[in-house]
Amino acid sequence: MAAACSWLALSLSLALCVAAAAAALQGASALQLDAVAAAQQAADRVAGLPGQPPVGFAQYAGYVTVNETHGRALFYWFFEATASPEKKPLVLWLNGGPGCSSIGYGEAEELGPFLVQKGKPELKWNNYSWNTEANLMFLESPVGVGFSYTNTSSDILHLGDKITADDAYIFLLNWFKRFPQYKSHDFYIAGESYAGHYVPQLSEKIFDGNKVGLKENYINFKGLMIGNALMDDETDQTGMIEYAWDHAVISDRVYGDVKARCNFSMVNVTDACNAALDEYFAVYRLIDMYSLYTPVCTDGGSPARGHRKVAVHGAAPRVLSKYHGWIMRPAGYDPCTAEYAETYFNRPDVQAALHANVTKIGYNWTHCSDVINKWNDAAFSTLPIIRKLAGGGLRVWVFSGDTDGRIPVTATRLTLNKLGLKTVQEWTPWYDHLQVGGWTIVYKGLTFVTIRGAGHEVPLHAPRQALTLFSNFLAGTMMPPTAFP
């Protein structure tokens, strides 16, 4: 009996030792993963940028590989919230184009913490930065945009909506492995212009992936917001023409010619429609399509400065993708802002501080890529996706600066009417201090907000109002319904 007890004790002891060893190995593995993530974060930590004002929050920048075989990597710049980042949501911002930089526009001109300045090799603090409300990330997507690159040059010839969404989704999965402390945070995506494609399409990838994908790839996705957004070819183009005529941009004759000769429900365009559209776009060589009532950039004596050099053929809407007027760069209160950003981000010391251009890309950083000139797939409409996401319980907001002629408020209203959603709260003003800041209408599953006096880049033209919009979107609350001092 004593021998049996001794044998039992020995067996129990061995079992406990094996269990302890296994637990130790598991702990070591977890510790190793944490160490890897910590090392990657440390490598991406930005100590500071040339001419940057001092700040109390952390920032990170670098590359995340999205395709090992082709050597595709997307560049990001991430800012922790100014206070309590551990409690704040995480927001990804995307600019459009297709082919334009979220860093050049979103971060450096619109809603990021640091804005470029005229005539100064310095950055200034943005008092209305969106990282006062959230942890904020900017992504240059797809490859060929900004600092994002591919080692397989043929990738540039195969870009389109699908590969952009696929790569951005892989980016997020890999980024969360690098920054696991943000995996549990509420996650939102926002953007403007062609992000009316990017944001819903990436959102659908996450939405579907959360349902059928691996548990470790789950993203705590809560909602999306898009502004002055390309969503439906037919209504976006129709709304452009209606807006231009209603705002005294084009003549009755040009308006009548476009209406008579162009059918925007069709992909192909007739020669007669082409001729009418040529006259329509000729006007926007004189004034800023993206902001009707602000001056154009005249630095250097050339009206072409600050505009893209290459049209992206095949991008939505296909009827207009070949027109340079359709893809002109936005301008703002200082319409030459794009020039200052290109000067700043091409500085070697700035690139070194951002851990950017590590492969020595064979072209300069630009706001909108000069190497992307072909787009292979573009949805005629993203409304089916938006309807699916709104019906799936995600928070969906759409906003529109009402002086934009590129994706005007008229187009957006026509587009949203196509959804056929039930109205929950009728068209009503919201207030910015003592003034009407814009108008809002709430549909079942979707909220639409206009911003008075803002052009295509709403946070650039109306930074305070844009921050109010953003904070209410995150909180899921109504825009301010009354005036206050």
Side-chain angles (χ1 to χ4, degrees), residues 397-409:
W397 280 36
V398 176
F399 65 92
S400 185
D402 64 9
T403 65
D404 174 28
R406 168 64 159 81
I407 311 289
V409 64

Side-chain angles (χ1 to χ4, degrees), residues 29-97:
S29 176
L31 185 63
Q32 187 178 10
L33 279 174
D34 290 343
V36 169
Q40 290 175 325
Q41 289 184 34
D44 286 359
R45 180 73 181 262
V46 176
L49 292 166
Q52 175 205 300
V55 293
F57 54 84
Q59 55 177 318
Y60 301 83
Y63 288 95
V64 173
T65 299
V66 295
N67 188 301
E68 294 279 359
T69 305
H70 284 221
R72 290 205 301 271
L74 298 183
F75 183 79
Y76 79 93
W77 193 358
F78 169 63
F79 302 90
E80 287 189 344
T82 55
S84 304
E86 70 283 354
K87 298 177 182 177
K88 299 283 177 66
L90 170 65
V91 177
L92 172 68
W93 174 268
L94 298 172
N95 279 88

